Amino acid sequence: MIDTQPAVHTHRPDAASGLPDSGSPSLYGREGDLALLEHLLDRAQEGRGSALWIGGGAGLGKTSLLTAAARSARRRSMTVLSAAGVEPESHLPFAGLHQLLLPLRAEAVHLEPRQRRALRAAFGLEDTAPDLFGIALATLELLSEAAGNTPVLLIADDTHWLDQPTKDVLAFVARRVDADPVVVLTASRTDAPGHPGGSGPGHLRLRALDSTAAGTLLDSRSSRLAPAARALVLAQAAGNPLALVELPRALADATPTGRLPDLLPLNERLERAFTARATSLPHATRVLLLAAAAETGCEFGQLLRATQIVVGTRVDAAALQPAVDEDLVHPDVVRVRFRHPLIRSAIYARADIAERLAVHAALSTVLANDPDRYVWQRAAATLGTDEDVVTLLEEFATRARARGGVTAAVEALERGSTLTALLPRRTSLLLGAAELACELGRRQDAADLAARAEPAHMGPVAHARMTAVREIVSPGPMGEESRVLTLLEASAQAHEAGHTDLAVHLLWRAASRCWWGNLSQNLREAVASAPDLLGLPPDDPRLLAIRAYALPERHGAAALAHMARLTPDRSDADVMRFLGSTALILGDFRTSSSYMATAAESCRSQGRLALLARTLGAGNWGRLWTGEWDRVRTESEEAATLAEETGEHFWAVSATTNLAMLAALRGEHALAEALALEARSSTHVTGVRFLLVSIQQVRGVAAITAGRYDEAFDLLKRAFDPSDPTHHDMRWWTAPDLADAAVHTGRQDEARRILTGLDALAHRLPTPMTLMCLRYTRAVLAEDDEAGPLFEEALAEDLDQGPLYRARLLLAQGRRLRRLRRPADSRAPLRQARDIFDALGSPHWSNVTRQLLRAAGEDSQQRRPAARDHLSPQELQIATLAAAGLTNRQIGQRLFLSHRTVGSHLYRIFPKLEITTRAQLAEALRTIPLGPGQSPPGQPPVL
C-alpha cells in the first residue's frame, strides 16, 4: 500500500527566487521593473488594461517579478489567475488555459451558450470540435466578466513551454484588453524557441544585475564567503540572480581546488550544481524527482505509484522530504513543483537512459486511464520502433486536431515518424504533419517536415500532397511557369488515384498562379482545359473559378452567366469565396461584394480569422469602385490587423493596398504614396503582377489628385507595356485614370493608341467594369465635336456599379461644356458630380467641382465634414453596427472584442458624433446625402 499523506516540511524560503531571506518583496536591482508592474496594476484599478511580456535568460528573475506582481495584486484585492508552462504538457491542447481559467468556472455561467460550449469543448467536456478563436473570444469575455467585479491579473510563466493553443489564446487576449481592467503578464526564456522577442512598450527584457545589485544579493545570501570566493562567484554569475544564489553552494564541492569550471555556459554550470545536490539523495527520492520531471502534470499519489513500480519497494510521501531539504522542490502536498525550471531539466537530462525508460514505462502504467498522457509516456518509453505506439500517436493526433490542438497533432505525427520501421508510413506521417503545419501558417516547420519525407517511398497521391505542401511553404516567384507544370502533373496523378478534391485543389493553385503572375497564354490554355478530365458539374464554383482565373477573356462571360443562374449554399464560406473572387477578377463588383460579404460573415461565425483576413483583404478592392468607402476603410483596417495576427502577411499587403487606393481617391495623395511604398516594399509582392498593377494604379491616381498629370500618365502607361513588371490583364481597369491624365496633358492621341484593344475586350468580356471603362474612355478622349453623344451614351447607362466614375464623367462633361463656353449648361452635370463626390467622401474632387461651379457662375457651399469623418476605422465599424441595432455583446462577437471594449468605444464615439443616445447613431452616420447606387451605412448593397 502506498501512503499518499505527505510528511513533508518546509526547510527555508524560496532561494531560487532571489528574494531576501526575510521574505521582503524587494528584488535587488529590479526597482524600475517593479515600478513598471505597479504602474500596470494602477492602470487596471483605473479601468484600463495592459499586456506585458517579460523575457530573459534562465535565472534572471522573471518568475520573481511575476510573484511580486501577484503579491501586489492580492494586496489590492485583485483577482489573480496564473499558470506555468511545463515541457511535458506542451503537447496537451489547452492544458495551460485550463490552469488559468479554473478559478473562474463559476463566472462561466454568465457567458452566452455558444461561448460556454467553446470553453467546454476546449477542455474536453463537450463532444464538439473547438474553434480556436471562438475559445479565445470566450476567454476574453470571461475575463471581462470577472473584471467587472474586481480587476484581474493574469500571469503565464514559462510560456515557451505552454501548449500552442493556449499561447494563441493568450496572444489574442493580450491584444484586446485595453478597455478592460485586466493585466496580462507573460514570461519566457529568450533562449527558448518560439519566444515572442521584440521590443517596445509591451516588452520587458531583463538584463543581468549591475555590480552593486549583484554584490548586495550575494552578500545577503552568502555573507561568509571569503573575498577570493566572493570575487569568483561574482565573475562567473555575471549578474545572474539565480547563479548568485546557487553557485556559492556548489563552490565548496566543485573541485579539489574549490574552482568552478569556468568554460561551461552559465546554464550548464547551474544544471551541474543542481544535479550534484540531487546525486546525494536516496534512490527512491531521485526516482521520484525523475518521475516528476518526466510528467509534471501527475498528482503526487500517481508519482509515488510510479516510483514504487521502478524501485520495487514501498514508497511514501516521506521520500520527497530530502529533496525539500535540498531546496530542489516546493513542499507542495498536491503536486511536485520544482524550485526552478532548470532543476527539472537538469534532473531529467542527466539521468541515464535506462532510468528514463523505466520511469516513462512506469508512468504509462499509472496513466493508463488518461489516453493523452498515456500515449506520450508510451512513446517516451520506446527505444527503437513500435508500430503499436505509432498507431496510438496517430489516434492522439486525430483527437488533438478535433480539439483544436493542431500543433499537438503535428508533434504526434512527427514523433510517430521516428518510431515506425515502415518507410511509406514514415513518409505519410511526415506529410500529414507538414500539411497541418501549413494550416497553422508555420511554413518553415512544414518545409522541414516535408524535406524529411523520402520521394522514393511516395506513391502518386503522396507526390501530389507533397506538391501542395511545397506550393504553400515555398511558392517561389509567381512567374515561375515550371511550377504550374508541376501542379498540373500532380493534379493528374491525384485524379488517376481517385483523389479528385486534391486534384481540384492543385488546379486551383495553378490557376491562381496564372492570374496573379499573368503567365503565358499556352500555360493558361493548359490549366483551363485540365478540369475537363475531372468530371465536375459545369456550375461547380471551383470549376468556374479555375477557368476564369486561367483564361478570363475566354471563360469569364460564361462564368458570370453560370453564377447568375446559381443558387449557391451561402453557409459555405469556401463556395462563397470561389464565386466572389471570380466575380471580382472579372469586374462584376456588385456580385463580388455580395458573395464576399457572405463569405466573411461565415468566416466570422466560424472563427476562421485567417480566412476572414483573406476574404476582407480581397473583397474590398471591388468596393472601392462601388462607392462603399466606409466599408473599405473599416474592413481593410480589420483585415490588415487580422492578417498580421494570423500570419497571413500577403493579405496584410493587400489590405494596405486597398487603404492606399482609398486615400488616393479621397485626394490624400501623400498618405496614398506612403502606403503604396509600404506595400511595394514588401517581399510578398515580388512577381505578383495583379498586386503590382494595383499599386501602380494607386500611384497614378495619387499623382492625378496631386496635380502631377504627366507623372500620372507615365506611371499608368507602364501597365500596358508587356515587358514591364506591372503589366497585367487588369491593366484595362486603369484606363479611366489614364484617360484623365491624358486630357490634362494633351496626350489624348497617345492614350487612344495605348487603349487599342479595349473595344475587343469589352465585346469578349462584357462585364460591368470593362463596359464602364470603355464608355468612360470613349467619352473623355473624344474630340469636342464628337464627345457629346458619347457622354450621353455613357451617362445613360447604369453606372451604379461605379458611382465614382459616374461623378468623374459628369465632372469631365462639365469641364468640356465650360471649355465650349457653355457655362450655364455645365452647371447641371457639375452639380450632380459635386453631390456624388460629397456622398462618397472625396474632398479632393468635391473641391475641384466646386471651383468649376463657381467659375460657371454658381456659388456652392463648402462640404461640411461628416461627423463620421472624425471616427477611427474601428469606431466607425462599431458605430455602424450599433446603428443597425446590434448589442454590445453582438458587436463584440462579430469583431472579436469584449463587450466592455465595445462599450468603451461607444463612450468615446457619442461626443465625436455630438449625440447622447444610441438611437441617434443612424441619423448621425447619415449626415451626408447619399449618391446614386449608395446604400446607407450598415446596409448591404442591393444587387
Side-chain angles (χ1 to χ4, degrees):
M1 180 177 178
I2 298 176
D3 180 7
T4 59
Q5 297 303 312
V8 180
H9 310 286
T10 302
H11 175 64
R12 56 178 292 187
D14 186 354
S17 70
L19 295 175
D21 285 332
S22 65
S24 166
S26 62
L27 290 168
Y28 299 112
R30 301 294 186 210
E31 292 80 10
D33 303 328
L34 288 168
L36 172 60
L37 297 181
E38 291 296 324
H39 171 67
L40 299 184
L41 296 178
D42 289 342
R43 279 173 51 90
Q45 291 192 301
E46 296 167 1
R48 295 175 295 164
S50 311
L52 180 71
W53 168 76
I54 303 173
L60 283 180
K62 300 180 294 298
T63 300
S64 297
L65 282 173
L66 295 179
T67 301
R71 186 183 296 121
S72 177
R74 290 190 179 97
R75 285 198 303 268
R76 299 163 183 258
S77 299
M78 294 175 64
T79 299
V80 179
L81 308 172
S82 63
V86 286
E87 193 171 8
E89 291 190 0
S90 61
H91 47 257
L92 299 178
F94 300 107
L97 188 64
H98 190 265
Q99 283 187 65
L100 283 168
L101 300 186
L102 192 60
L104 298 183
R105 56 190 179 277
E107 282 84 351
V109 299
H110 300 298
L111 296 177
E112 57 103 15
R114 179 179 163 194
Q115 292 179 340
R116 287 202 304 273
R117 289 195 298 271
L119 286 179
R120 288 179 59 81
F123 303 145
L125 302 176
E126 189 154 319
D127 190 22
T128 58
D131 148 33
L132 177 63
F133 289 104
I135 292 164
L137 182 58
T139 301
L140 180 64
E141 274 294 314
L142 186 59
L143 292 172
S144 182
E145 285 288 348
N149 300 318
T150 179
V152 172
L153 171 62
L154 186 151
I155 291 174
D157 199 3
D158 291 324
T159 57
H160 51 282
W161 281 331
L162 282 176
D163 60 277
Q164 189 61 46
T166 293
K167 287 193 283 190
D168 291 338
V169 169
L170 283 174
F172 178 96
V173 169
R175 283 186 282 263
R176 292 166 170 81
V177 293
D178 288 355
D180 289 285
V182 176
V183 178
V184 179
L185 299 180
T186 60
S188 64
R189 282 168 49 176
T190 49
D191 58 352
H195 74 84
S199 60
H203 294 76
L204 172 62
R205 280 181 175 270
L206 297 186
R207 307 297 179 186
L209 299 181
D210 61 31
S211 57
T212 301
T216 304
L217 173 58
L218 178 59
D219 293 342
S220 74
R221 295 296 183 152
S222 305
S223 58
R224 297 181 181 178
L225 278 179
R230 182 179 184 276
L232 176 64
V233 170
L234 285 172
Q236 295 205 358
N240 184 291
L242 180 63
L244 289 164
V245 171
E246 294 297 333
L247 290 183
R249 300 188 58 174
L251 183 62
D253 301 326
T255 67
T257 61
R259 287 190 59 81
L260 293 170
D262 52 14
L263 294 180
L264 292 175
L266 178 59
N267 281 4
E268 189 168 345
R269 289 203 299 273
L270 287 170
E271 286 188 350
R272 288 193 174 190
F274 291 135
T275 304
R277 283 156 60 184
T279 302
S280 61
L281 298 175
H283 180 233
T285 304
R286 284 188 279 112
V287 172
L288 178 61
L289 290 182
L290 180 56
E295 182 53 76
T296 53
C298 271
E299 295 178 355
F300 191 49
Q302 293 174 314
L303 292 177
L304 290 177
R305 289 196 292 275
T307 303
Q308 181 166 297
I309 292 172
V310 175
V311 301
T313 60
R314 181 179 179 276
V315 177
D316 60 24
L320 187 63
Q321 188 64 51
V324 174
D325 295 339
E326 284 293 328
D327 284 336
L328 295 174
V329 297
H330 292 277
D332 195 317
V333 299
V334 178
R335 296 181 188 275
V336 174
R337 295 188 299 119
F338 291 97
R339 291 283 188 182
H340 194 277
L342 279 180
I343 300 176
R344 189 201 69 78
S345 60
I347 287 172
Y348 187 83
R350 297 183 184 278
D352 65 54
I353 188 66
E355 287 180 324
R356 271 189 265 171
L357 291 173
V359 163
H360 284 299
L363 286 168
S364 69
T365 300
V366 170
L367 296 171
N369 293 326
D370 186 336
D372 289 350
R373 285 187 161 88
Y374 165 76
V375 64
W376 285 102
Q377 292 301 330
R378 273 286 305 274
T382 302
L383 194 62
T385 60
D386 189 323
E387 302 302 329
D388 290 338
V389 174
V390 176
T391 300
L392 290 173
L393 287 165
E394 287 181 300
E395 293 170 352
F396 170 86
T398 300
R399 291 196 303 274
R401 189 180 183 193
R403 290 181 53 201
V406 182
T407 300
V410 172
E411 294 171 358
L413 295 177
E414 182 181 14
R415 176 62 174 145
S417 73
T418 68
L419 298 179
T420 179
L422 307 175
L423 293 180
R425 189 180 196 187
R426 179 175 183 272
T427 294
S428 180
L429 288 165
L430 288 169
L431 279 176
E435 289 165 339
L436 293 179
C438 287
E439 285 186 21
L440 294 168
R442 289 165 43 186
R443 290 176 170 83
Q444 187 55 54
D445 289 345
D448 294 342
L449 289 162
R452 288 160 51 192
E454 300 179 33
H457 301 286
M458 293 183 190
V461 174
H463 271 292
R465 291 170 63 195
M466 174 66 88
T467 300
V469 168
R470 284 177 175 163
E471 184 66 8
I472 295 171
V473 302
S474 55
M478 195 57 63
E480 191 176 331
E481 299 200 344
S482 62
R483 295 294 291 265
V484 176
L485 296 174
T486 300
L487 289 165
L488 288 173
E489 180 182 357
S491 175
Q493 290 176 340
H495 175 59
E496 289 172 7
H499 288 255
T500 301
D501 284 341
L502 177 57
V504 173
H505 172 74
L506 291 163
L507 285 183
W508 165 242
R509 290 276 177 187
S512 296
R513 276 186 172 273
C514 290
W515 171 258
W516 291 99
N518 208 61
L519 302 185
S520 68
Q521 184 71 15
N522 289 341
L523 208 57
R524 290 166 172 254
E525 298 272 3
V527 173
S529 62
D532 294 345
L533 302 176
L534 301 183
L536 299 176
D539 58 355
D540 187 308
R542 298 171 300 174
L543 176 62
L544 299 178
I546 289 168
R547 286 181 169 158
Y549 268 71
L551 283 174
E553 292 186 23
R554 182 179 303 175
H555 296 288
L560 291 176
H562 276 295
M563 280 195 279
R565 295 191 294 269
L566 275 177
T567 306
D569 179 1
R570 287 185 169 264
S571 66
D572 189 326
D574 295 322
V575 167
M576 290 292 100
R577 278 197 317 113
F578 276 119
L579 295 174
S581 64
T582 300
L584 175 67
I585 68 162
L586 296 176
D588 185 350
F589 296 145
R590 283 291 185 204
T591 300
S592 169
S593 179
S594 174
Y595 283 150
M596 295 297 261
T598 303
E601 288 306 306
S602 181
C603 291
R604 286 186 193 280
S605 66
Q606 297 169 19
R608 300 168 70 183
L609 295 201
L611 197 56
L612 177 59
R614 301 170 86 182
T615 304
L616 296 178
N620 276 288
W621 181 260
R623 294 192 182 104
L624 286 161
W625 317 116
T626 58
E628 302 169 79
W629 287 5
D630 282 350
R631 190 167 187 171
V632 172
R633 179 180 172 219
T634 58
E635 292 190 351
S636 294
E637 289 277 5
E638 183 184 11
T641 299
L642 294 177
E644 293 296 348
E645 188 171 339
T646 58
E648 293 286 346
H649 303 298
F650 173 84
W651 295 103
V653 178
S654 176
T656 299
T657 305
N658 293 346
L659 293 169
M661 180 56 85
L662 179 59
L665 294 173
R666 285 176 51 84
E668 299 165 342
H669 48 85
L671 174 60
E673 288 162 359
L675 291 172
L677 178 60
E678 177 186 336
R680 185 65 180 84
S681 301
S682 170
T683 58
H684 298 286
V685 305
T686 304
V688 184
R689 294 197 174 206
F690 176 82
L691 205 51
L692 289 173
V693 74
S694 301
I695 295 169
Q696 193 76 349
Q697 187 178 11
V698 169
R699 296 175 65 199
V701 173
I704 287 173
T705 59
R708 304 192 303 268
Y709 297 105
D710 270 311
E711 177 188 337
F713 190 90
D714 290 336
L715 284 168
L716 294 166
K717 77 174 185 178
R718 286 175 51 191
F720 294 84
D721 179 357
S723 66
D724 194 275
T726 64
H727 180 74
H728 188 274
D729 286 348
M730 198 198 78
R731 65 192 182 278
W732 302 109
W733 296 1
T734 70
D737 307 311
L738 184 76
D740 280 352
V743 168
H744 283 84
T745 57
R747 298 166 75 174
Q748 291 96 321
D749 288 342
E750 186 179 355
R752 293 187 195 102
R753 288 194 301 271
I754 290 172
L755 296 179
T756 300
L758 183 52
D759 283 0
L761 171 67
H763 178 74
R764 293 190 301 271
L765 188 62
T767 67
M769 187 62 170
T770 55
L771 291 173
M772 187 278 299
C773 288
L774 175 64
R775 291 165 183 149
Y776 187 101
T777 55
R778 273 181 176 172
V780 170
L781 293 175
E783 298 292 348
D784 280 342
D785 58 349
E786 299 174 352
L790 294 174
F791 271 105
E792 291 176 10
E793 177 188 355
L795 291 168
E797 296 295 332
D798 178 12
L799 291 183
D800 284 354
Q801 288 235 25
L804 173 67
Y805 286 122
R806 182 180 189 86
R808 285 169 65 178
L809 265 176
L810 289 164
L811 173 60
Q813 185 188 38
R815 274 201 177 105
R816 170 182 164 273
L817 292 171
R818 281 198 64 250
R819 190 167 57 248
L820 295 176
R821 299 185 180 182
R822 296 165 57 186
D825 293 337
S826 72
R827 293 169 194 160
L830 289 173
R831 199 179 301 123
Q832 293 179 56
R834 175 202 61 195
D835 292 344
I836 298 175
F837 287 138
D838 282 353
L840 286 171
S842 179
H844 167 76
W845 270 304
S846 290
N847 293 335
V848 168
T849 310
R850 280 177 167 80
Q851 291 170 10
L852 291 173
L853 271 171
R854 281 195 296 273
E858 178 174 308
D859 192 24
S860 181
Q861 289 185 337
Q862 286 295 111
R863 171 188 180 270
R864 288 186 58 196
R868 67 175 187 264
D869 291 347
H870 302 296
L871 303 182
S872 72
Q874 189 170 73
E875 287 173 342
L876 178 57
Q877 200 170 22
I878 288 171
T880 301
L881 293 171
L886 274 68
T887 66
N888 287 7
R889 287 187 186 276
Q890 290 170 330
I891 296 170
Q893 291 166 18
R894 178 183 172 86
L895 301 182
F896 300 93
L897 302 169
S898 78
H899 69 280
R900 294 184 188 279
T901 297
V902 174
S904 177
H905 277 297
L906 287 170
Y907 180 80
R908 293 192 295 270
I909 287 168
F910 280 20
K912 291 182 179 182
L913 296 182
E914 300 178 357
I915 61 175
T916 56
T917 68
R918 208 178 184 101
Q920 296 172 292
L921 273 170
E923 184 59 31
L925 293 174
R926 283 198 294 266
T927 53
I928 293 181
L930 298 171
Q934 282 200 286
S935 303
Q939 296 182 16
V942 179
L943 291 180

